[in-house]
Amino acid sequence: MLAFKDTQLALIHIPLHLYSSFLQSILQLLLPNEALDQHPAFHGHGAVQPPPAWPNQNPFVNISVTPIECSVVCSRRLADELFLPALNSLDPSSRSQVSITNDDYVVMQVDGEGLDAGQRVLELTSPLALAGISIFFITTYFSDYILVPIRYRTQVVHALEERGFQFEDQTSSYVNPSHHSRQHSASQTFEVRPPGTPPPATVSELQTRTFATLKRCNIVPTVDSCLRLVQCAGRRDSANGMNEGRNRNSQTSAADDALHLGLVKCLISSPYPKFLSLTLTDTEPASLLLDHTLLPNFTQDILLGSKEEYLIPITLDLRDLSMESTGIICGVAGRLVGGTAGQLINPVEMSYLSTARAGTVMVFEDELKRALGALRGAENGLSPTPD
């Protein structure tokens, strides 16, 4: 099932060397304004008290710090209230390096069950790429999220319906039919095409275009051998918060409080966390993708998920591409799904994180060489060995 969330989102790109200038704004996404002045990040003492509704106070928030950038997705209102003042306080040269999208985005939530992750990315992104719609894709512990420009919402519905997805209610959700019952192939073209270069007619053509574009812009998959990521999520107490672990002066649980403290510790890492992606929604527990060296910031029983299965990030620096570029995610997913499968082997398992100016593919350590071999194919003539 996929559901639209009631959101008008802005995407914010912050260069890493300006991270500290926006740290207070980032923390304010986690803390109510009136609590920030009492926060130990600024005073070195005192208890951390998250807001009563944390972490479900907003329909959708993503804060990601990667080797390329700090990227924030939040409501337009919060972008204007929290980030514009910090942006306007910068000198003109620094200000020009930060971007807040003028266009609003809407987010769709996709249940993470059914197809394997790589196939799911391809199934959801290919009809939108073939329709010429630019998207962002975020894999979390529980679900996948697709961000699309709000002006293309109708085209998104049409493109997915043309592929066989059935919408229960165009304002809320659709049901994903079983794979074998779909009547449309991945190579089908679509009538809806936003202005610009005509979209490719097939996924194969899209994949070729994608890697030709990456090669032309000298964008190559890179690996930081020091990064080992863990995908995990916050625990939620049962019985609707009426258990004994609840703070007397807060509606959040003890588990929420501990998770909140750990997140703040990660965010105030100097000069910035090595790798952290935090997704908060109003329907699911907090989801995290973080470098394993940040795990000591959390007590052992706070996080769901394996702490010993490491994911390796493969990064595509997309700062030289327009944010309106289409097909990158589908092209990369198609190469990994189709380029690593054989008669006796399964395709590489992958997940994907879109940030404002970069794309990050996550694969397991033992599949890194195979994944790089597919991504660094004949088009760019690069070696399939890690950097």
Side-chain angles (χ1 to χ4, degrees), residues 192-244:
V192 180
R193 293 183 179 180
T197 303
T202 67
V203 171
S204 177
E205 180 186 349
L206 184 147
Q207 187 181 122
T208 300
R209 282 197 197 182
T210 294
F211 282 87
T213 298
L214 296 178
K215 181 179 181 180
R216 184 172 63 252
C217 296
N218 295 317
I219 299 171
V220 297
T222 60
V223 175
D224 182 344
S225 59
C226 296
L227 285 177
R228 297 288 186 275
L229 307 185
V230 174
Q231 184 95 58
C232 51
R235 295 182 182 274
R236 296 303 303 273
D237 289 338
S238 59
N240 296 319
M242 300 304 293
N243 44 296
E244 296 179 356

Side-chain angles (χ1 to χ4, degrees), residues 370-382:
R370 220 165 31 114
L372 284 173
L375 293 177
R376 296 171 169 175
E379 285 99 330
N380 49 34
L382 293 176

Side-chain angles (χ1 to χ4, degrees), residues 228-233 258-259 262-263 265-266 269 275-276 288-310:
R228 297 288 186 275
L229 307 185
V230 174
Q231 184 95 58
C232 51
L259 175 63
L263 290 171
K265 288 180 178 179
C266 291
S269 301
F275 196 112
L276 170 67
L288 295 90
L289 177 68
L290 72 164
D291 186 70
H292 74 285
T293 61
L294 295 174
L295 286 173
N297 290 321
F298 303 91
T299 55
Q300 291 185 354
D301 59 344
I302 293 305
L303 298 178
L304 294 170
S306 172
K307 315 303 187 300
E308 299 172 353
E309 288 186 334
Y310 293 153

Side-chain angles (χ1 to χ4, degrees), residues 346-359:
N346 294 322
V348 165
E349 292 186 39
M350 60 156 286
S351 54
Y352 199 93
L353 171 66
S354 292
T355 54
R357 298 294 178 83

Side-chain angles (χ1 to χ4, degrees), residues 23-39 42-43 49-52 54 57-58 77-83 85 260:
L23 178 57
Q24 183 168 342
S25 302
I26 292 169
L27 290 173
Q28 283 180 295
L29 287 177
L30 307 182
L31 290 165
N33 292 350
E34 60 271 17
L36 192 60
D37 290 340
Q38 306 301 321
H39 199 277
F42 299 98
H43 298 281
Q49 290 293 332
W54 191 89
Q57 57 184 332
N58 297 297
R77 178 184 64 82
L78 289 174
D80 291 343
E81 291 180 1
L82 302 181
F83 290 87
H260 188 272

Side-chain angles (χ1 to χ4, degrees), residues 147-340:
L147 281 70
V148 298
I150 200 167
R151 67 183 185 275
Y152 292 151
R153 178 168 173 154
T154 300
Q155 289 95 319
V156 167
V157 172
H158 180 79
L160 291 171
E161 284 183 334
E162 284 291 311
R163 181 63 185 271
F165 292 95
Q166 298 175 357
F167 283 76
E168 290 182 337
D169 182 346
Q170 290 189 8
T171 63
S172 58
S173 63
Y174 71 76
V175 175
N176 184 351
S178 61
H179 183 66
H180 63 80
S181 67
R182 291 177 186 168
Q183 300 176 355
H184 301 273
S185 71
S187 63
Q188 179 170 349
T189 59
F190 299 96
E191 294 292 330
V192 180
R193 293 183 179 180
T197 303
T202 67
V203 171
S204 177
E205 180 186 349
L206 184 147
Q207 187 181 122
T208 300
R209 282 197 197 182
T210 294
F211 282 87
T213 298
L214 296 178
K215 181 179 181 180
R216 184 172 63 252
C217 296
N218 295 317
I219 299 171
V220 297
T222 60
V223 175
D224 182 344
S225 59
C226 296
L227 285 177
R228 297 288 186 275
L229 307 185
V230 174
Q231 184 95 58
C232 51
R235 295 182 182 274
R236 296 303 303 273
D237 289 338
S238 59
N240 296 319
M242 300 304 293
N243 44 296
E244 296 179 356
R246 209 141 283 265
N247 292 332
R248 284 179 293 177
N249 297 324
S250 173
Q251 296 175 15
T252 59
S253 68
D256 283 341
D257 293 349
L259 175 63
H260 188 272
L261 175 60
L263 290 171
V264 171
K265 288 180 178 179
C266 291
L267 289 168
I268 64 175
S269 301
S270 181
Y272 42 78
K274 292 178 62 176
F275 196 112
L276 170 67
S277 182
L278 166 67
T279 301
L280 303 174
T281 75
D282 57 0
T283 56
E284 294 181 338
S287 181
L288 295 90
L289 177 68
L290 72 164
D291 186 70
H292 74 285
T293 61
L294 295 174
L295 286 173
N297 290 321
F298 303 91
T299 55
Q300 291 185 354
D301 59 344
I302 293 305
L303 298 178
L304 294 170
S306 172
K307 315 303 187 300
E308 299 172 353
E309 288 186 334
Y310 293 153
L311 296 170
I312 308 301
I314 304 172
T315 301
L316 297 170
D317 184 346
L318 306 179
R319 285 176 288 187
D320 290 338
L321 291 184
S322 166
M323 291 185 67
E324 294 295 315
S325 299
T326 62
I328 302 297
I329 302 168
C330 179
V332 169
R335 175 61 65 84
L336 284 177
V337 171
T340 61

Side-chain angles (χ1 to χ4, degrees), residues 122-137:
L122 186 58
E123 286 283 320
L124 269 297
T125 62
S126 59
L128 303 180
L130 291 173
I133 299 171
S134 176
I135 69 169
F136 293 83
F137 196 99

